[in-house]
Amino acid sequence: MRCLNCGNKSINELNLKIIFGFEDFVPDNLCELCRSQLNPLNYDEGCIRCYKKNDSNICEDCLLWDKKYNIINCHQALFEYNQFIHSYFKNYKWYGDILLAELFSKDLYNWSKSNKFDLITYIPASNGHLEARGFDPVWEMYHKVFDLTSMLVKIDADKPQAQKNRYERLQTPQTFYFHPDRLDIPSDSSILILDDVYTTGRTLMHARQALEIVGFNNICTFSLSR
Ligand SMILES: [Zn+2]
Ligand SMILES: [Zn+2]
């Protein structure tokens, strides 16, 4: 098996559970060398509400959401945003290398096994982005691992989040609304919202609010990187 990122050989070991069909075989698409450049995030090494590394018990961003919007953040992420993740998203999203959508399948699959929700949804691309890029990067990254329900619609914004500074990001107005065809979903369902990267948390907060407005209140969020 070849690493999807660099082309080196990646090691995939079969165990008895996989051989006898008790566990799905999900290949590791990352080689050891690429994997060594990742910084995994843990619950006990950072903010308990968003996994931000090297921060206090509850980080400033999470305290702000709590104070300003009464939101008790419930976010998990797998890897710290570093140079490796930065290059990954550059190749995947900006250069449009769609094969990279599956680079982290193994990690996402492992996480999905120990975190259960009634419904899993995702941050959709706006129509403008979809047309420009030709694919929806968040959906592509997650749809083979999670059973996704589309619950949010994104309106085209003035400029992409990546081109904004921190202040502009925090000030961004709401650009999501609840999918009108999904009003039959019971409002006591536990919901997970997926995104690719969590920076200030502004995008996921807006997505959360769009769901809260129609009655959902058991919501957690997840991103590959933080
Ligand atoms: Zn590699
Ligand atoms: Zn936090």
Side-chain angles (χ1 to χ4, degrees):
M1 201 126 212
R2 294 276 165 195
C3 171
L4 284 183
N5 190 57
C6 72
N8 278 338
K9 258 207 166 118
S10 62
I11 302 162
N12 277 284
E13 282 171 8
L14 293 172
N15 63 34
L16 287 177
K17 280 185 190 162
I18 294 170
I19 291 166
F20 288 108
F22 298 123
E23 219 173 68
D24 294 333
F25 173 67
V26 180
D28 192 352
N29 292 321
L30 267 172
C31 71
E32 256 180 276
L33 188 67
C34 286
R35 196 167 274 291
S36 70
Q37 296 171 64
L38 292 167
N39 277 335
L41 295 173
N42 299 301
Y43 177 79
D44 44 7
E45 280 177 19
C47 171
I48 55 168
R49 291 188 187 173
C50 74
Y51 281 42
K52 186 176 186 182
K53 216 167 179 140
N54 302 325
D55 219 307
S56 51
N57 189 31
I58 299 173
C59 76
E60 267 180 39
D61 289 347
C62 287
L63 287 173
L64 179 74
W65 300 131
D66 194 349
K67 209 171 121 194
K68 211 170 162 190
Y69 302 104
N70 231 345
I71 286 173
I72 306 295
N73 200 7
C74 162
H75 184 79
Q76 288 190 48
L78 292 183
F79 303 111
E80 188 179 20
Y81 192 87
N82 61 8
Q83 190 53 47
F84 184 87
I85 297 281
H86 178 80
S87 316
Y88 165 69
F89 279 114
K90 197 165 84 184
N91 291 329
Y92 175 44
K93 290 173 76 171
W94 304 114
Y95 296 134
D97 185 353
I98 198 169
L99 291 177
L100 289 175
E102 292 184 41
L103 190 65
F104 296 98
S105 293
K106 180 104 192 167
D107 306 274
L108 298 174
Y109 176 79
N110 289 342
W111 187 86
S112 76
K113 288 289 129 196
S114 45
N115 293 277
K116 298 292 172 199
F117 300 87
D118 295 329
L119 271 166
I120 301 176
T121 191
Y122 62 98
I123 299 293
S126 65
N127 276 335
H129 271 157
L130 205 56
E131 271 171 36
R133 195 175 280 139
F135 67 96
D136 185 328
V138 179
W139 187 84
E140 288 291 345
M141 200 160 97
Y142 292 116
H143 80 111
K144 285 192 181 159
V145 176
F146 299 94
D147 184 12
L148 297 179
T149 304
S150 161
M151 294 174 81
L152 294 158
V153 181
K154 173 116 173 79
I155 311 156
D156 276 303
D158 49 344
K159 58 175 161 172
Q161 286 289 93
Q163 287 172 21
K164 292 177 187 167
N165 64 33
R166 188 179 161 81
Y167 177 76
E168 285 176 316
R169 283 178 187 223
L170 288 167
Q171 299 304 316
T172 309
Q174 173 65 286
T175 51
F176 295 104
Y177 61 91
F178 185 71
H179 203 300
D181 296 345
R182 301 286 183 269
L183 284 165
D184 54 337
I185 298 170
S187 62
D188 59 351
S189 308
S190 61
I191 293 175
L192 177 70
I193 313 173
L194 305 169
D195 200 3
D196 47 10
V197 181
Y198 183 113
T199 309
T200 62
R202 177 74 278 184
T203 303
L204 279 167
M205 282 307 144
H206 276 149
R208 246 187 110 110
Q209 285 175 318
L211 298 187
E212 282 175 350
I213 256 174
V214 290
F216 296 101
N217 53 28
N218 187 358
I219 303 168
C220 283
T221 59
F222 174 88
S223 60
L224 177 79
S225 182
R226 165 76 172 102

